[in-house]
Amino acid sequence: MSLRKTPAAAPNGHEVSLADRKLEAKEQYDTTEGHFSLVRNFRLADLVTIANGICGSFSIFMSAKYLVTSDEDYLWSALAFPLAGLFFDFLDGKVARWRNESSMIGQELDSLADLPFDSRMPRSPFSTQISFGVAPALLAFVVGFRTYLDTVVLTGFICCGLARLARFNATVASIPKDAKGKAHYFEGLPIPSSLGLVAVLSYWNSQGWIEGKQGIPWGTITLWGKEGGDGELHKFSIVFGLWAAAMVSKTLRVPKI
């Protein structure tokens, strides 16, 4: 997850600077008239953040198109869009610092919480969750994780990703930082790490190890009932479950590069 840096603190402290910044952004929003005033309040960094969500949305639609048509071009597109989302995820914070500007809409896109003791603000989970939570889970379903228990695990994966992002917004101020304000580590796996699973699915697709071809590696286990029933689970779904648990772990600390 990228972080956008706020302007330097005012002489009276960061709290005053942040409050002034929010007040200025609100006044700017209130004084902009017209049918497209919302769009005119967007800044370049806000558009980059939205582009991340667009990539995730396109991945979802391409997955749906593949299910309807079985055209592999759509599946490859669906696998590629989350990677493009990662590019925009890294870029939005850099653009915000380069432009040194903010908007009221951008604050909501970029933050769900005020952090008066930190020079950085966390981002909203919405676009990140689409690209790195929902899209990878749907891709897993598309390539063959389609049993009842598979969908339970994938739903848990999405929910853990959302919880991971919410916790990041709530706790980022308390994580130790260096002199430049950069956190020393992530608590739990950052949600963009789900692209590692997307990479695995991409490799499987290149080898034909997907539903409708050779099938998913490792096969299935039946926890109850008959084979092919609600108790069947793909063994690799356990990896998705462990990945979800790692995202919400408090004791797992991933060093920031």
Side-chain angles (χ1 to χ4, degrees):
M1 292 167 293
S2 61
L3 299 171
R4 297 186 185 177
K5 190 173 182 179
T6 61
N12 292 334
H14 181 73
E15 288 184 273
V16 175
S17 175
L18 184 58
D20 290 345
R21 179 172 175 262
K22 291 175 70 70
L23 179 61
E24 180 183 357
K26 185 178 185 306
E27 290 176 351
Q28 179 188 59
Y29 180 79
D30 290 340
T31 57
T32 304
E33 303 290 344
H35 292 295
F36 298 101
S37 58
L38 174 66
V39 177
R40 294 203 299 273
N41 270 281
F42 281 155
R43 297 295 180 263
L44 183 58
D46 305 335
L47 298 177
V48 174
T49 300
I50 290 173
N52 182 5
I54 290 173
C55 290
S57 299
F58 267 110
S59 178
I60 291 170
F61 288 127
M62 292 300 102
S63 291
K65 290 281 283 185
Y66 172 74
L67 288 174
V68 172
T69 66
S70 297
D71 186 340
E72 275 198 33
D73 288 342
Y74 290 123
L75 180 54
W76 281 116
S77 296
L79 290 163
F81 273 115
L83 182 60
L86 181 66
F87 168 76
F88 290 114
D89 188 57
F90 285 148
L91 186 62
D92 66 349
K94 296 182 183 299
V95 170
R97 289 189 289 271
W98 165 55
R99 300 284 292 180
N100 193 28
E101 60 185 9
S102 65
S103 68
M104 187 175 182
I105 302 300
Q107 290 174 15
E108 296 305 316
L109 283 171
D110 205 57
S111 176
L112 291 178
D114 294 332
L115 298 175
F117 302 109
D118 189 10
S119 63
R120 294 167 181 254
M121 297 176 68
R123 60 174 306 149
S124 163
F126 302 121
S127 61
T128 305
Q129 174 68 357
I130 293 171
S131 294
F132 310 130
V134 178
L138 182 56
L139 280 165
F141 179 86
V142 166
V143 302
F145 292 87
R146 302 178 187 177
T147 72
Y148 172 74
L149 288 181
D150 287 340
T151 57
V152 170
V153 172
L154 294 177
T155 300
F157 178 84
I158 294 172
C159 293
C160 286
L162 186 58
R164 165 70 178 81
L165 289 163
R167 185 185 66 183
F168 174 82
N169 280 359
T171 64
V172 65
S174 62
I175 295 177
K177 300 173 179 62
D178 60 21
K180 296 181 179 180
K182 181 179 179 180
H184 291 307
Y185 56 83
F186 291 109
E187 275 190 357
L189 281 179
I191 190 170
S193 67
S194 65
L195 289 183
L197 294 171
V198 174
V200 172
L201 300 180
S202 299
Y203 178 71
W204 286 1
N205 186 41
S206 69
Q207 301 299 309
W209 299 339
I210 62 174
E211 184 73 21
K213 295 185 179 180
Q214 299 179 44
I216 296 176
W218 299 8
T220 63
I221 55 175
T222 302
L223 301 181
W224 71 79
K226 62 182 180 180
E227 186 176 345
D230 288 345
E232 188 173 59
L233 175 74
H234 280 91
K235 294 177 183 177
F236 197 84
S237 288
I238 298 172
V239 176
F240 277 88
L242 293 174
W243 207 286
M247 286 194 291
V248 296
S249 171
K250 184 176 178 61
T251 56
L252 177 62
R253 296 180 175 181
V254 180
K256 294 193 69 173
I257 300 176

